[in-house]
Amino acid sequence: GERLFSDEPLSLGWLDAIDLDVKLKADRLVPLKVEPELYAVNAHVVLAGGRLSLDPLLLKLSPDGKALSVRLRARTTPAGKFDVNVSAQGAGIDVAHLLALVHRPSSISGAPTDVTLDLHATGGSLRELMAELNGEARFVVGGGQVDERTLDRGADLLTRFFVLAYPFAKEKSSTPFECAVVRLPVRDGIVTINRSVALETQKVSVAASGIVDLRRETIELHLLTHALQGLGLGTGKLSNMYQIQGPLAAPSVRLSSKGALRTGISTGA
């Protein structure tokens, strides 16, 4: 089937061929026809003896001073593999600004987000790097609004996750949500989610458990949606279990009757 991560060998010769020490500081950077606009950039890049250091890379993403701080260290191993460590931290950054960094459109406004990344991998291709990935990514998202007019419900897992959380959103042009937490610990390419992904709107909460296998590029998640008070639903309709399963490139979403028992998800009710 279709794979997300290329097995094309990484070109690493430049690490040993170039030595440089560059400092960049800009009060404002406006890329041509590319988002996002950066309100300040501070970077120090050192490449010497086959070792690359980017420390720091500070990106100011909004006029109010919210910034993402990134540090990266990379080298070529004796076996000819690419060894990379990357960490990032940010607080109160609008989720739309974060998505713009990876050229992803956003239907979300507001949603101040705290970001913590600490990841390490070694490999000769992107596929190998993902298969050997270790560390953790954590996102804590504050309240925001989702614009239904620009929401593509079939676009990706994040969009599907929101639609499952609030199936009544289609009745409005804008839908509020209260908060979301995403903690993704990864060991040797396996992301284990044990109720560490959760989302809450004014009327529905969602908790997720399961496995994302970056080695095989597959996913098996169980999502429990729990309707909060005020929906006017019968007791039997307060909770639903959904399953997201299949290749990462094209997972399927379906209603599951056994996932709650298998994953042990609980709403605490």
Side-chain angles (χ1 to χ4, degrees), residues 27-263:
D27 291 332
R28 196 160 188 177
L29 184 63
V30 184
L32 295 175
K33 298 182 180 181
V34 178
E35 291 187 349
E37 178 178 351
L38 299 174
Y39 292 86
V41 177
N42 187 0
H44 185 197
V45 183
V46 177
L47 178 56
R51 293 177 177 268
L52 173 66
S53 170
L54 180 57
D55 188 1
L57 171 60
L58 187 65
L59 305 174
K60 184 179 176 183
L61 299 174
S62 61
D64 61 4
K66 298 297 190 298
L68 183 68
S69 176
V70 180
R71 284 174 167 79
L72 181 146
R73 297 185 184 277
R75 66 182 179 90
T76 304
T77 69
K81 304 289 187 179
F82 189 57
D83 183 82
V84 58
N85 289 271
V86 61
S87 62
Q89 289 187 327
I93 303 171
D94 283 1
V95 70
H97 293 150
L98 293 172
L99 290 173
L101 284 176
V102 291
H103 309 301
R104 296 292 303 275
S106 175
S107 300
I108 301 174
S109 59
T113 302
D114 295 346
V115 180
T116 305
L117 298 178
D118 188 6
L119 300 169
H120 170 257
T122 302
S125 67
L126 179 58
R127 188 174 298 174
E128 285 187 3
L129 286 172
M130 299 306 292
E132 298 299 326
L133 189 64
N134 287 278
E136 183 174 289
R138 182 187 300 237
F139 305 88
V140 180
V141 186
Q145 297 272 340
V146 176
D147 187 347
E148 291 299 308
R149 295 165 296 183
T150 59
L151 183 63
D152 180 356
R153 293 171 177 266
D156 54 34
L157 286 177
L158 289 176
T159 298
R160 295 183 186 191
F161 189 72
F162 176 80
V163 171
L164 292 177
Y166 205 171
F168 318 99
K170 62 184 179 181
E171 301 171 3
K172 302 179 180 180
S173 61
S174 180
T175 301
F177 65 92
E178 303 298 320
C179 60
V181 177
V182 178
R183 187 175 69 85
L184 303 174
V186 55
R187 183 169 182 176
D188 297 331
I190 306 296
V191 182
T192 303
I193 300 170
N194 183 18
R195 287 173 287 180
S196 58
V197 175
L199 171 69
E200 184 171 307
T201 72
Q202 291 179 341
K203 295 187 176 182
V204 179
S205 65
V206 179
S209 288
I211 297 291
V212 179
D213 189 336
L214 300 177
R215 290 175 170 268
R216 297 183 175 89
E217 298 187 32
T218 60
I219 183 171
E220 183 175 355
L221 283 184
H222 297 282
L223 291 85
L224 178 65
T225 67
H226 180 72
L228 306 178
Q229 295 181 358
L231 287 179
L233 298 176
T235 304
K237 295 184 179 179
L238 286 179
S239 298
N240 279 315
M241 173 62 65
Y242 293 89
Q243 185 178 51
I244 299 178
Q245 187 177 38
L248 284 176
S252 62
V253 181
R254 66 180 181 85
L255 188 64
S256 171
S257 60
K258 299 180 180 180
L261 296 176
R262 183 161 59 250
T263 61

